Amino acid sequence: MDLVDLIAEKRFLGQEFLTWLWWKSEERGGSVELPDSGDILVEFEKHMLLEYGEEEYEERLICSGLQSELKEARTGLQTGKKIEQARVRLVKGDHEYHVTLGATLMDFRSVRLPKTAEGSASNESGREESEGLILERIFLCEEVMKVIDDLFRLFVTVRTSDQWGHELNTIRQWVAGISNEG
Amino acid sequence: MGFLNGSVSFVRFTVVGDLPENPLEYIGRRISAYSFRDIDESTEEYSIGWVSVANMFDASFSYASYQVGDYVVLTLRIDERKVPAAVIKKMVAKEEMRMCQERQLPKLGRAARAEIKESVIRTISAKTVPVPAVYDVCWSLTDATVLFFTTNKKAHALLEDFFKDCFGLLLSQQIPYTLAERLLEDDHLENLPLLKPQLFI
């Protein structure tokens, strides 16, 4: 199967991942345990894009707002809409990231990397970007990718296992119950 | 948004294919051969090539090396002379009118009109400053992965073609399914192609 067909046929995997991640982030009050890194904080933020239907019948719902609790997005899930894009805050140790994740291509949009001492000093002095700064930016990009990859690995491992049926039921209960919480 | 400042947006590609012996020497040679060529002083319509991430005018990498640790860090610069279609249409009509009056003709022939259009495009293009676009690229030689710092799909296609021409290597965009293939253990991997979309209601 070529990549274009693979993208179209398997896009549900990324969309299911984002729904699973939203549930996972609320399951333990924002804390998700990763096998190698321990607990990290995952919080869904003020922006979400949901989709329903295919091609010409596709509907899109954009939910955003500074103090938004994503009530419309929650209702959208209950009507079978799929999450196509979500803004997520991730905290690992001292590092805090904000990233808008795309479901279909797993693209990383508007990623806010943590401010670091070296990066700030370089910007203030306006000197030539040093090799150190480049390496630091690469390190931070790789760290946020690794966190997402680890979360995605957790999802696809359970998604391809016998435990999925149980996890799916729990997620369905969460989707059905979330309107009462808001 | 550049890779070195502020927030970043990016997609991931897997590099498919093998580098020859002495990969760094090969990469250096290919980057030189495919470095950006300025067209500000010419009338060429399009130019694409590598420049330094630190400076878009540095195609010889004297401000910063492209090699940083195990990474190759570059900027893909594309300059294009873009003349709005409405401007061409207006100037062609103006020139046609002037020619009709000069030759005392009610209408010009097809060949004359084609010649006018060609001449107008050439003249306006030469006066137009090329519009630059820059996209940062970070190639991890250890992981055979390329981060491309834009979500513009047209730019993705340009990078794939240019990377292939330059290094003789293919780029394959990483999507959730291919990422799952890389991340899953063997016993889970065999179930991956069997998955069907699931409803959460």
Side-chain angles (χ1 to χ4, degrees):
Chain A
M1 199 184 297
D2 73 15
L3 193 68
V4 176
D5 293 334
L6 209 55
I7 289 170
E9 196 172 304
K10 306 291 185 184
R11 65 189 297 229
F12 69 89
L13 204 59
Q15 293 178 330
E16 288 183 6
F17 166 60
L18 291 183
T19 306
W20 173 87
L21 187 60
W22 193 7
W23 162 73
K24 194 79 183 164
S25 75
E26 297 204 345
E27 191 192 19
R28 287 174 56 212
S31 179
V32 178
E33 190 185 351
L34 291 178
D36 297 333
S37 323
D39 277 359
I40 59 154
L41 186 79
V42 182
E43 192 177 88
F44 276 62
E45 288 196 310
K46 59 193 176 185
H47 169 85
M48 197 177 278
L49 170 67
L50 294 101
E51 285 183 2
Y52 182 76
E54 299 280 330
E55 296 175 359
E56 63 260 45
Y57 299 105
E58 189 183 271
E59 286 177 23
R60 294 189 138 205
L61 172 69
I62 298 169
C63 303
S64 61
L66 274 178
Q67 298 299 323
S68 159
E69 288 169 11
L70 295 166
K71 281 183 188 166
E72 282 298 322
R74 289 167 192 266
T75 311
L77 277 190
Q78 290 173 338
T79 56
K81 291 190 176 65
K82 304 273 180 67
I83 304 175
E84 178 52 36
Q85 229 176 60
R87 183 88 180 149
V88 184
R89 175 172 165 255
L90 300 162
V91 182
K92 185 188 173 205
D94 295 335
H95 286 171
E96 178 175 324
Y97 298 89
H98 299 258
V99 51
T100 301
L101 272 180
T104 301
L105 298 176
M106 194 72 108
D107 42 350
F108 292 67
R109 291 168 184 258
S110 308
V111 184
R112 227 161 75 205
L113 301 169
K115 281 200 171 58
T116 57
E118 193 180 342
S120 308
S122 172
N123 287 338
E124 279 166 20
S125 64
R127 64 181 163 83
E128 288 297 331
E129 303 292 355
S130 65
E131 189 171 309
L133 174 61
I134 293 174
L135 278 173
E136 184 188 75
R137 298 281 286 186
I138 293 172
F139 169 80
L140 295 172
C141 286
E142 292 208 329
E143 185 172 66
V144 71
M145 283 190 297
K146 178 156 187 340
V147 168
I148 295 297
D149 284 358
D150 287 347
L151 289 165
F152 187 65
R153 185 191 283 112
L154 272 185
F155 165 70
V156 283
T157 300
V158 71
R159 184 69 173 86
T160 49
S161 75
D162 298 339
Q163 297 158 34
W164 175 244
H166 171 71
E167 195 128 323
L168 180 62
N169 280 335
T170 317
I171 298 172
R172 281 177 174 158
Q173 284 167 21
W174 171 75
V175 169
I178 49 183
S179 63
N180 304 326
E181 294 168 15
Chain B
M1 192 67 76
F3 154 62
L4 291 176
N5 294 299
S7 64
V8 293
S9 295
F10 59 88
V11 292
R12 291 186 282 185
F13 290 90
T14 300
V15 182
V16 183
D18 294 323
L19 282 163
E21 271 183 46
N22 301 321
L24 289 174
E25 191 266 335
Y26 170 77
I27 289 168
R29 223 165 357 97
R30 303 307 290 169
I31 289 172
S32 279
Y34 283 79
S35 61
F36 181 78
R37 216 166 29 80
D38 200 286
I39 54 169
D40 280 356
E41 307 304 325
S42 73
T43 56
E44 281 176 74
E45 283 182 20
Y46 185 84
S47 181
I48 181 168
W50 302 119
V51 293
S52 153
V53 280
N55 187 326
M56 72 184 274
F57 302 107
D58 179 18
S60 57
F61 300 89
S62 42
Y63 284 82
S65 169
Y66 55 80
Q67 195 199 332
V68 184
D70 285 336
Y71 301 89
V72 172
V73 183
L74 297 159
T75 293
L76 183 65
R77 178 172 165 188
I78 301 160
D79 275 25
E80 199 172 357
R81 288 193 153 84
K82 292 176 184 165
V83 184
V87 173
I88 294 174
K89 199 175 165 189
K90 182 188 89 172
M91 297 307 285
V92 167
K94 199 173 180 182
E95 182 60 12
E96 281 178 4
M97 207 167 76
R98 191 191 66 77
M99 199 79 93
C100 283
Q101 282 169 354
E102 189 182 281
R103 296 182 187 175
Q104 304 266 307
L105 290 170
K107 204 176 165 191
L108 291 173
R110 183 184 293 227
R113 279 167 44 218
E115 200 177 306
I116 286 173
K117 188 171 181 184
E118 203 178 296
S119 155
V120 162
I121 291 174
R122 214 172 32 241
T123 312
I124 302 176
S125 286
K127 288 182 190 165
T128 309
V129 179
V131 179
V134 286
Y135 307 105
D136 294 340
V137 174
C138 177
W139 176 7
S140 164
L141 299 176
T142 319
D143 289 348
T145 299
V146 161
L147 298 187
F148 190 38
F149 288 84
T150 176
T151 51
N152 177 336
K153 286 182 182 157
K154 194 179 157 202
H156 296 168
L158 285 172
L159 175 75
E160 286 174 40
D161 290 345
F162 191 71
F163 202 88
K164 188 178 163 203
D165 290 346
C166 178
F167 300 111
L169 298 168
L170 294 176
L171 290 181
S172 173
Q173 189 160 356
Q174 289 183 18
I175 60 168
Y177 189 84
T178 55
L179 186 62
E181 287 178 323
R182 281 166 67 120
L183 296 174
L184 281 174
E185 306 276 343
D186 284 348
D187 48 338
H188 289 270
L189 195 56
E190 60 193 29
N191 292 332
L192 186 64
L194 310 174
L195 298 183
K196 298 280 178 243
Q198 209 102 66
L199 280 174
F200 290 103
I201 49 174

